[in-house]
């Protein structure tokens, strides 16, 4: 069993959603995570609020961001257990953020730290 | 207490007293003698009960059996202390007189000292230097007066293994020179978690075990609640999650009478006679749940207690099931268990729909769990008769006890 991180990217993080929409997403996300947890495959995760974010650049230049220059924003991530990348991808397919056109979920295996990857 | 005892079956009196009084005698004596002499304390407590069984068998049950037991235990303990003194005296005759004067032979079996000793004993037994299964085993033995064979049964093990395990655990505590006292305030949170786990396991042993008589099982639940209440009564251990565990146990126990039928069969929640639910315990549960709603730590006890609260709400509303679903979503993130996964899926079917729940359920893959196949059978009922029957039959194949087999068969017949 390996660990995989599912990284949520939003096409346009500055887009404002209605409170009702946000409520629906939140519930869908909770049910999605609950479904993974009920298979004993959930390890952890976090949302990454978009407000008050900073980007630190070469030469220690700090900008508000990451909006403006790049369209895609990191919205959050979860870490799951899976037998294979394919199983992790199956989890990702049900991620509610994919209802937004242009949003993506990137699936990456987490290095085990034992030198084998 | 008197009224409670008088209506109890005579042959259940000693087992009942053993479960409630054994630990009190052991705790008080052990605190008095020091943990190193725990076996002496246990022996005196056991001998007290043997004396009771013999005497009461001939002379009848005394008007106040508990006071009788305390008296006998006290005398046996004094005799023991006296013998020790004499022995010490022979070894060191010159200090004998001084010792005899200073050495207080009185054994304090006042309610206050009993409570303090038990509470401290709980923390000794749940000491992190011994393994969790040994902690639970010792708790069952010392705090709940379980026999070795009953503990073996609870652990699906045998007497020799359990005896060895308990012996080693006691050795370890002796070697560590563990004092019978409450942990410091700095340690108490961490130590309390272990104590709560033990109480929780103890309660589950009573609430879910199918092999024990109804009376024994109810005693176990009440004992677990009593131990938990001792923690609530002490200001240093009265924490929000202790109250949450108490609330959980109150809500569950409120349905104790309703969930077992006359023939010992398990009665499903939806089929229970609501008039048998204990309203007093439900309101007590509400009180403790309120007390639990402070602080910033959301524990599994909070989540399970809130789920149990919703179970006391009989109305089949979407609000109820949506809340229960979200609580299980959180619970599973804190701690996975097959039972929680199954219950979550049931709540999902109620909140969202059977078709969607089938997809979720098929992924759980709990292939050696009868309740998994019962749930799948239920979900397919009314949607796909062939699959419903197939799943119920798998459940029937796995099910071990007769009442369970009967209730599954009933579902197949109703298809």
């Amino acid at each position: 069993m390996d660990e995989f991180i599912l990284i949520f990217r939003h096409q346009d993080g500055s887009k404002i959603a209605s409170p009702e929409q946000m409520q629906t997403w939140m519930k869908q996300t909770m049910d999605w995570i609950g479904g993974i947890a009920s298979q004993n495959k959930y390890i952890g995760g976090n949302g990454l609020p978009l407000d008050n974010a900073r980007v630190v650049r070469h030469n220690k230049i700090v900008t508000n961001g990451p909006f403006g220059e790049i369209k895609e924003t990191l919205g959050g991530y979860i870490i799951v257990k899976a037998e294979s990348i394919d199983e992790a991808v199956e989890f990702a397919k049900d991620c509610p953020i994919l209802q937004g056109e242009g949003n993506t979920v990137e699936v990456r295996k987490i290095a085990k730290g034992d030198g084998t990857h | 207490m008197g009224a409670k005892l008088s209506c109890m079956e005579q042959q259940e009196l000693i087992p009942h007293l053993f479960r409630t009084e054994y630990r009190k005698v052991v705790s008080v004596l052990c605190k008095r003698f020091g943990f190193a002499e725990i076996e002496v304390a246990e022996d005196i407590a056991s001998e007290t009960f043997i004396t009771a069984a013999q005497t009461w068998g001939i002379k009848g049950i005394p008007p106040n059996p508990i006071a009788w037991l305390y008296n006998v235990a006290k005398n046996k303990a004094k005799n023991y202390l006296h013998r020790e003194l004499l022995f010490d005296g022979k070894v060191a005759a010159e200090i004998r007189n001084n010792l005899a004067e200073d050495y207080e032979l009185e054994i304090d079996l006042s309610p206050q000292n009993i409570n303090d000793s038990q509470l401290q004993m709980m923390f000794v037994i749940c000491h992190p230097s011994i393994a969790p299964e040994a902690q639970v085993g010792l708790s069952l033995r010392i705090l709940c007066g379980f026999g070795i064979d009953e503990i073996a049964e609870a652990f699906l093990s045998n007497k020799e293994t359990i005896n060895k395990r308990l012996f080693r655990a006691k050795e370890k505590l002796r070697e560590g020179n563990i004092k019978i006292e409450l942990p410091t305030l700095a340690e108490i949170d961490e130590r309390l978690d272990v104590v709560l786990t033990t109480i929780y396991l103890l309660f589950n042993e009573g609430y879910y075990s199918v092999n024990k008589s109804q009376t024994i099982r109810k005693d176990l639940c009440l004992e677990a609640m009593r131990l938990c209440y001792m923690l609530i009564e002490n200001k240093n251990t009265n924490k929000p999650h202790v109250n949450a565990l108490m609330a959980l146990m109150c809500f569950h126990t409120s349905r104790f009478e309703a969930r077992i039928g006359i023939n010992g069969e398990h009665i499903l929640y939806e089929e229970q006679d609501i008039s048998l639910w204990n309203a007093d315990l439900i309101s007590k549960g509400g009180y403790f749940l309120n007390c639990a709603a402070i602080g910033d730590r959301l524990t599994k006890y909070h989540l399970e207690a809130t789920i149990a609260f919703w179970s006391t709400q009989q109305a089949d509303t979407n609000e109820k099931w949506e809340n229960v679903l979200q609580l299980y979503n959180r619970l599973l993130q804190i701690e996975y268990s097959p039972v929680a996964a199954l219950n979550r899926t049931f709540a999902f079917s109620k909140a969202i729909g059977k078709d969607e729940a089938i997809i979720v359920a098929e992924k759980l893959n709990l292939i050696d769990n009868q309740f998994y196949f019962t749930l799948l059978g239920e979900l397919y009922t009314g949607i796909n008769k062939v699959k419903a029957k197939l799943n119920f039959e798998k459940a029937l194949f796995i099910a071990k006890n007769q009442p369970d087999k009967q209730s599954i068969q009933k579902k197949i017949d109703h298809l």
Side-chain angles (χ1 to χ4, degrees):
Chain A
M1 198 80 81
D2 285 314
E3 292 184 10
F4 295 86
I5 186 165
L6 278 49
I7 304 160
F8 317 149
R9 289 184 204 280
H10 299 260
Q11 174 76 349
D12 191 349
S14 60
K15 226 184 237 169
I16 306 290
S18 73
E20 289 74 21
Q21 252 174 325
M22 288 192 270
Q23 178 67 34
T24 309
W25 287 342
M26 190 182 76
K27 181 186 145 36
Q28 286 173 340
T29 305
M30 291 192 295
D31 287 347
W32 175 59
I33 290 173
I36 297 169
S38 71
Q39 297 174 53
N40 201 12
K41 299 278 175 71
Y42 181 80
I43 293 183
N46 266 307
L48 304 171
L50 298 170
D51 48 292
N52 209 16
R54 301 279 188 282
V55 177
V56 183
R57 294 164 199 279
H58 184 59
N59 288 338
K60 300 181 181 171
I61 295 168
V62 179
T63 57
N64 283 340
F67 327 115
E69 294 152 62
I70 42 168
K71 273 273 185 217
E72 271 194 347
T73 328
L74 209 55
Y77 67 90
I78 68 165
I79 297 171
V80 300
K81 280 187 276 187
E83 294 291 349
S84 63
I85 183 90
D86 294 330
E87 190 188 359
V89 165
E90 286 306 311
F91 289 141
K93 280 181 183 170
D94 293 328
C95 179
I97 77 141
L98 293 177
Q99 292 163 20
E101 209 181 320
N103 293 349
T104 61
V105 177
E106 183 174 331
V107 183
R108 301 281 292 269
K109 185 168 155 179
I110 293 177
K112 277 182 177 153
D114 58 1
T116 61
H117 287 255
Chain B
M1 202 69 195
K4 197 178 161 195
L5 288 175
S6 61
C7 63
M8 198 171 313
E9 299 277 346
Q10 195 159 316
Q11 63 263 43
E12 288 201 2
L13 178 64
I14 289 193
H16 171 82
L17 288 176
F18 198 86
R19 273 189 299 282
T20 57
E21 304 307 317
Y22 176 84
R23 65 152 184 266
K24 295 179 189 168
V25 173
V26 173
S27 299
V28 166
L29 296 184
C30 195
K31 184 170 162 58
R32 176 73 168 74
F33 302 158
F35 190 84
E37 303 200 55
I38 174 119
E39 264 112 14
V40 175
E42 285 184 279
D43 284 348
I44 290 176
S46 299
E47 282 169 21
T48 301
F49 277 92
I50 293 170
T51 310
Q54 286 167 346
T55 315
W56 300 357
I58 300 164
K59 293 187 174 170
I61 294 163
N64 187 342
I66 294 174
W68 193 100
L69 288 171
Y70 287 177
N71 235 339
V72 171
K74 243 182 225 182
N75 286 333
K76 285 187 193 291
K78 279 186 195 171
N79 285 341
Y80 166 75
L81 287 175
H82 207 75
R83 275 199 305 275
E84 287 293 283
L85 276 180
L86 287 179
F87 178 75
D88 286 348
K90 276 173 202 151
V91 178
E94 68 273 18
I95 59 165
R96 178 177 155 188
N97 288 331
N98 296 339
L99 246 180
E101 276 167 30
D102 292 341
Y103 216 104
E104 179 55 67
L105 282 181
E106 206 42 57
I107 305 290
D108 180 5
L109 276 159
S110 65
Q112 183 63 44
N113 192 45
I114 288 176
N115 268 354
D116 290 350
S117 306
Q118 285 185 104
L119 193 62
Q120 292 159 2
M121 199 62 170
M122 253 194 267
F123 278 93
V124 172
I125 288 171
C126 299
H127 195 269
S129 68
I130 57 174
E133 50 186 13
Q135 292 167 353
V136 176
L138 271 187
S139 300
L140 289 173
R141 178 72 198 129
I142 292 168
L143 298 178
C144 308
F146 262 49
I148 298 296
D149 40 353
E150 286 176 300
I151 301 173
E153 194 189 301
F155 280 111
L156 304 171
S157 182
N158 57 55
K159 278 172 120 174
E160 292 71 52
T161 312
I162 298 297
N163 263 326
K164 265 186 221 152
R165 186 186 295 169
L166 297 191
F167 181 78
R168 269 198 301 263
K170 283 188 254 185
E171 276 295 286
K172 198 94 187 244
L173 292 173
R174 246 193 298 260
E175 281 163 17
N177 203 13
I178 308 297
K179 296 260 182 324
I180 302 181
E181 61 191 11
L182 284 186
T184 61
L185 284 176
E187 285 177 323
I188 217 156
D189 274 335
E190 202 183 320
R191 297 281 305 277
L192 196 52
D193 282 349
V194 186
V195 175
L196 292 184
T197 302
T198 303
I199 294 176
Y200 181 73
L201 291 173
L202 191 61
F203 181 84
N204 286 348
E205 180 59 30
Y207 199 72
Y208 296 108
S209 152
V210 284
N211 300 322
K212 297 184 175 63
S213 85
Q214 177 87 338
T215 322
I216 294 184
R217 296 177 41 238
K218 193 164 186 185
D219 268 359
L220 274 178
C221 291
L222 295 179
E223 284 309 295
M225 289 164 82
R226 224 164 278 170
L227 294 177
C228 193
Y229 193 65
M230 267 184 237
L231 296 171
I232 290 174
E233 281 186 312
N234 184 298
K235 69 177 189 334
N236 293 332
T237 51
N238 185 14
K239 305 276 168 134
H241 58 308
V242 178
N243 284 274
L245 175 58
M246 191 67 189
L248 166 66
M249 295 192 288
C250 288
F251 287 138
H252 275 333
T253 313
S254 72
R255 290 192 301 282
F256 204 91
E257 310 295 342
R259 56 197 274 283
I260 307 286
I262 335 163
N263 301 317
E265 77 278 18
H266 198 266
I267 298 179
L268 289 176
Y269 176 75
E270 303 93 83
E271 293 158 16
Q272 287 172 7
D273 176 358
I274 289 166
S275 71
L276 292 175
W277 290 5
N278 185 321
D280 183 40
L281 279 170
I282 293 176
S283 76
K284 283 204 173 78
Y287 168 79
F288 289 117
L289 192 55
N290 268 329
C291 297
I294 50 168
D296 51 9
R297 208 176 144 208
L298 186 71
T299 63
K300 68 168 185 170
Y301 303 118
H302 285 92
L303 294 166
E304 288 192 39
T306 315
I307 292 168
F309 159 76
W310 280 106
S311 303
T312 65
Q313 306 296 302
Q314 51 214 84
D316 207 14
T317 60
N318 190 264
E319 187 206 3
K320 167 179 169 174
W321 291 111
E322 187 51 52
N323 270 294
V324 172
L325 171 61
Q326 295 312 334
L327 290 161
Y328 273 119
N329 282 342
R330 296 291 299 275
L331 180 62
L332 281 157
Q333 289 174 48
I334 293 179
E335 189 180 281
Y336 169 84
S337 73
V339 179
L342 291 173
N343 288 337
R344 186 249 174 203
T345 310
F346 181 74
F348 189 90
S349 78
K350 288 286 203 176
I352 292 172
K354 274 188 164 187
D355 289 307
E356 292 84 350
I358 287 172
I359 299 169
V360 174
E362 289 285 6
K363 288 181 185 160
L364 295 182
N365 225 21
L366 296 166
I367 47 166
D368 48 8
N369 187 317
Q370 70 177 80
F371 302 106
Y372 175 53
F373 291 109
T374 312
L375 175 68
L376 273 172
E378 299 275 9
L379 293 176
Y380 277 116
T381 300
I383 291 178
N384 184 330
K385 198 174 167 180
V386 178
K387 285 198 170 172
K389 187 156 186 263
L390 196 75
N391 280 297
F392 282 137
E393 279 166 356
K394 282 186 191 166
L396 196 59
F397 181 73
I398 302 171
K400 286 199 177 62
N401 73 65
Q402 209 48 40
D404 280 355
K405 279 180 188 288
Q406 278 164 4
S407 86
I408 298 166
Q409 188 59 52
K410 223 159 65 182
K411 290 180 202 299
I412 296 176
D413 298 340
H414 280 292
L415 276 176

